[in-house]
Every structure is written in structure tokens, then in C-alpha cells.
Amino acid sequence: MVRDSDATRARILDAAEAEFAAYGIAGARVDRIAENAPANKALIYKHFGSKDELFDTVFAQRVLAFVDKVDFDATDLPAYAGRGFDLYEANPTTLRLTTWYQLERPHGQLEAIKASNAAKLNAIKEAQDAGLLTSAYTPLELLTEVRALMMSWHLHTPELAMVRQPARARRREVVVESVRRLVQGDSH
Amino acid sequence: MVRDSDATRARILDAAEAEFAAYGIAGARVDRIAENAPANKALIYKHFGSKDELFDTVFAQRVLAFVDKVDFDATDLPAYAGRGFDLYEANPTTLRLTTWYQLERPHGQLEAIKASNAAKLNAIKEAQDAGLLTSAYTPLELLTEVRALMMSWHLHTPELAMVRQPARARRREVVVESVRRLVQGDSH
DNA sequence: TCCTAGTTAATAACTAGTTAGTTGCAAGCG
DNA sequence: CGCTTGCAACTAACTAGTTATTAACTAGGA
């Protein structure tokens, strides 16, 4: 095998993403990552230091790439939710990674994520000030509910995941329509 | 210490719930559960067989008790969501337990949960047939979105969880109002 | 020849699970 | 009552296997 440090790094990252998505941080096995890369176990430590640092590297790289991929439009949150839905559908491992992160890194504070959130909250505020978006909710409230609806189909317990799901197009429609109803003008 | 098998069992279950909620199945340590119960480690194996069976016992007991506590009213889903919100607020460990279950037991099929889901879906269908609930969504679609909104405030990444949250009463209001908008009559 | 990618094998620490017992309690019996 | 016998609750120490991590080594390329 030809020697290529970068390629080995990339293979390790790919294998690590799959491993961490499947088993989480505590459940992941460095041996299995090495075996699936394939790469020697010692190289993982040479390149990434430790299992935890490897997770952090994988998470930062993949999730941030993910976040960047869906562009945020505060004046059309239903469409944003639809795009987010599409991305989750195409890339379910990223959502799992995020969930593990939430559970196992409860104090994680990635600057890039904070920046992304701040930008979204700010965009919502501006859209509200311009009258292009309901002011029935604060920016944080809106972001919270939209995010929940966006991933709603992935929040099923295993039991509910087993019942026959609607086709993807319909699931998408449900998400988009739900957000539409959420943000529509006051309705009392 | 006086000998009481039932009390010991109960202490182990309490400690196990805390341990599993904090670290998940793979991350949980039997020694730590024994230490925190407090109880001897061997007793855990005598009473529950293995770490996995202990998790299953804890999960079944706690989550099913939880599910039973909030009664479902298909004709008033906003109120149901409000009650569910209250229960999640009062009992955040249960939600964590559920999330771990979803991640680490992707093939779990607890009969009691399936029955509870089936009953809910059925109640929704009947409410729809009686014209008491929107038919814009199927029962599964409605349950999916309502559940997502119900737990929306607990889906934050650590980064978003750090920003100043609204007071509990307001968070509740947001959930209830979101569900109200979701189920209100057609709005095209 | 020197530097870096990659390998091999070892190790120290940890972990789930077991074993071989000890302790307290109560029923049975004289 | 006093004694003992059976039994379940409980315990401490251990084992067999796994895991993350590292040190010592080999080889390829400039």
C-alpha cells in the first residue's frame, strides 16, 4: 500500500464517523475503527491523540459541513425546514452523531455552532422587525419549534419507527406544512 | 443494616436509572451503580441478571409509569401536549432514558409501548371521524408532530441550551400554542 | 542518510460477571 | 425457652477477557 498520510487520515475519519454514529462515544471501539478504516490502531493515536479527540474532530468536521449545507432563510421558514428535512433524510448518521453529542457532551460549546445559532437568531429577529415573519414567538422560540418539526420523523421510539411510515415526499410535506402553520399570522 | 430484599432491589433500580440516564448503556458502570445504590455488585446480578437486563428493567418500569401518567385526549391535543411538557419538565431523566433507548436499542419492541401507541393512533382516528380533529394529517403524522413539539425544548444542542431560555410557563405556552396551530382547521 | 508513514507487540488499567463464602432471621424441635 | 438447622440476603475477593494507549521497531521516499 502506498504511503499517504492524508488518505489514511481520511479513511480513519470515515470509519470513525460510522462507528461513533452507530455506538456513541462510550460504545465505540478503537479497534473496530482501525479495522474498518483500514488503518493501524496506533495511527489513530498518532493522528488524533485519543478516542475523545477523534470524536471531537469527526463531529466538528461532519456536523459543521452539514450545517453549512442548508442555507437559512428567516423569511421562509417552511422552505428552510423542507431543506433541513431533505438533508436529514440524505444523511441520517449526522443526526445520530448530533444526538450522541447532545447526550455525551452536555457541556460541548463549539464556537462554529454558536456562531451559526447566533446568525439564525439574528436573521429571525430582522425578519420579524421587517414584518416578514410572525412576532408571536421570540427568535429562540421559533428556532426551537422549527428544529423540532424538522427532525420530527427521526424522534420516533423504535416501536413507533416500526409502524408503516408515509412516503418521504409526504413526510416532507407534513414538516413543511406544520412549519407553515406555526409561522402563519395570528390565528385567534 | 437490616436485610430487606425489596428495599435493596428498589435502591438498585434508582441508582441504575440515574446511571443509565447519565451515561447510557455502554457508558454505564455496574460498579458505580452498586456504589451509589448502595448495594453489593453481586446482588445486582442476582436480582437482574446482567447490565443489559438491568437497563431493560429500569426502562420498562420507569418509562411505562411515565407514559401512564399523562392521559391522552385526541380531541384536545394542545392540552395533551401541555401535560406531556409538564411531565418532561418534572422528569428530565426519563426523556434521556428514552433517547438512549432509541440510540442503543434500535430494535426494541416493548409491547406496552406498542399498545400505548396503537391506542393513541386509534383515538386520533376516532376523533377525526367524529369531526373533532383536523383530517389534514393522518393519525401517525399528527402523533409525530405533536410529540416533536412536546419535547422541542429538550432537543437543543448543548450550544443552544446555553442561551437564556424563556421561563417554564412561557415554554409551555409555546408548545401548547404550536400544537394548537398545528391542529386548527384548514388554513389555505 | 534522514525523516515520516506505517507496523508489531506489549502493557496497564478497567470491566462485566462469578465464586466461595459469611451473616442475620425465623421456623422446627426438645 | 434455648438450640439448631435451613435459607435467603449479603459481601469481598477474584477472574477472564477487553480496552485504550504506547514504546520499539521497519520500511519508503526525498
Side-chain angles (χ1 to χ4, degrees):
Chain A
M1 191 164 61
V2 67
R3 299 186 166 204
D4 184 337
S5 172
D6 289 346
T8 302
R9 245 186 96 93
R11 284 202 317 280
I12 293 173
L13 282 173
D14 285 346
E17 177 184 21
E19 178 77 11
F20 285 124
Y23 303 103
I25 304 176
R29 295 292 165 254
V30 177
D31 288 286
R32 217 156 31 198
I33 294 173
E35 188 186 337
N36 292 329
N40 193 279
K41 189 157 61 143
L43 286 178
I44 294 176
Y45 289 94
K46 179 162 273 184
H47 284 303
F48 301 100
S50 70
K51 185 167 90 159
D52 275 43
E53 288 173 87
L54 176 58
F55 175 83
D56 290 340
T57 306
V58 167
F59 182 77
Q61 182 179 308
R62 301 298 150 109
V63 170
L64 294 183
F66 185 89
V67 166
D68 278 352
K69 243 185 253 173
V70 48
D71 37 81
F72 187 75
D73 178 0
T75 66
D76 190 355
L77 289 179
Y80 164 68
R83 289 194 297 274
F85 171 89
D86 291 338
L87 216 51
Y88 279 140
E89 288 287 313
N91 213 336
T93 52
T94 306
L95 184 51
R96 279 185 71 92
L97 232 42
T98 308
T99 310
W100 290 115
Y101 178 70
Q102 195 189 334
L103 285 173
E104 300 193 275
R105 284 267 189 280
H107 303 297
Q109 293 292 315
L110 275 183
E111 282 309 320
I113 291 185
K114 285 163 78 173
S116 158
N117 284 334
K120 287 188 176 71
L121 292 173
N122 209 51
I124 291 176
K125 173 122 189 38
E126 282 176 10
Q128 286 177 327
D129 288 346
L132 298 169
L133 176 57
T134 176
S135 294
Y137 305 101
T138 67
L140 176 62
E141 289 163 7
L142 266 175
L143 189 59
T144 300
E145 306 306 307
V146 169
R147 279 173 40 90
L149 292 171
M150 214 160 93
M151 55 180 77
S152 56
W153 290 100
H154 296 274
L155 299 176
H156 283 325
T157 62
E159 288 79 7
L160 206 52
M162 281 299 163
V163 325
R164 203 181 142 73
Q165 307 285 309
R168 175 184 299 193
R170 171 60 185 165
R171 294 202 306 276
R172 186 187 206 280
E173 199 180 326
V174 168
V175 168
V176 173
E177 170 65 14
S178 300
V179 174
R180 207 183 63 68
R181 291 188 178 209
L182 181 78
V183 300
Q184 80 191 341
D186 277 61
S187 49
H188 292 280
Chain B
M1 192 166 54
V2 67
R3 298 186 166 204
D4 185 336
S5 169
D6 289 347
T8 303
R9 246 187 94 94
R11 284 201 317 278
I12 292 172
L13 282 173
D14 285 347
E17 178 184 20
E19 178 77 12
F20 285 125
Y23 303 104
I25 304 177
R29 294 292 165 254
V30 177
D31 288 289
R32 212 157 34 196
I33 294 173
E35 189 185 337
N36 292 329
N40 192 279
K41 187 161 60 146
L43 288 178
I44 294 177
Y45 289 94
K46 176 160 270 183
H47 284 304
F48 301 101
S50 69
K51 185 168 90 159
D52 276 43
E53 288 172 86
L54 177 58
F55 175 83
D56 290 340
T57 305
V58 168
F59 182 76
Q61 183 180 306
R62 301 296 151 108
V63 172
L64 294 182
F66 185 88
V67 166
D68 278 354
K69 243 185 253 172
V70 48
D71 36 83
F72 187 74
D73 179 359
T75 67
D76 191 354
L77 289 179
Y80 164 69
R83 289 194 297 275
F85 171 88
D86 291 337
L87 216 50
Y88 280 138
E89 288 287 313
N91 214 336
T93 52
T94 305
L95 185 52
R96 278 184 74 91
L97 231 42
T98 307
T99 310
W100 289 114
Y101 178 70
Q102 195 189 334
L103 285 173
E104 300 193 277
R105 285 265 188 281
H107 303 297
Q109 292 293 313
L110 274 183
E111 282 309 320
I113 292 184
K114 285 163 79 172
S116 158
N117 285 334
K120 287 188 178 69
L121 292 172
N122 209 51
I124 291 176
K125 173 123 187 39
E126 282 175 12
Q128 286 177 325
D129 288 346
L132 298 168
L133 177 56
T134 177
S135 293
Y137 304 101
T138 67
L140 176 61
E141 289 162 8
L142 266 176
L143 190 58
T144 299
E145 305 308 306
V146 170
R147 278 172 41 89
L149 292 171
M150 215 161 92
M151 57 181 77
S152 55
W153 291 100
H154 296 274
L155 300 176
H156 284 325
T157 61
E159 288 79 7
L160 206 51
M162 282 300 164
V163 325
R164 201 181 147 71
Q165 307 286 308
R168 175 183 299 191
R170 172 59 185 166
R171 294 200 307 275
R172 187 185 205 280
E173 200 180 326
V174 168
V175 168
V176 173
E177 169 66 13
S178 300
V179 174
R180 205 183 66 68
R181 292 188 177 208
L182 180 78
V183 301
Q184 80 192 342
D186 278 61
S187 47
H188 291 279

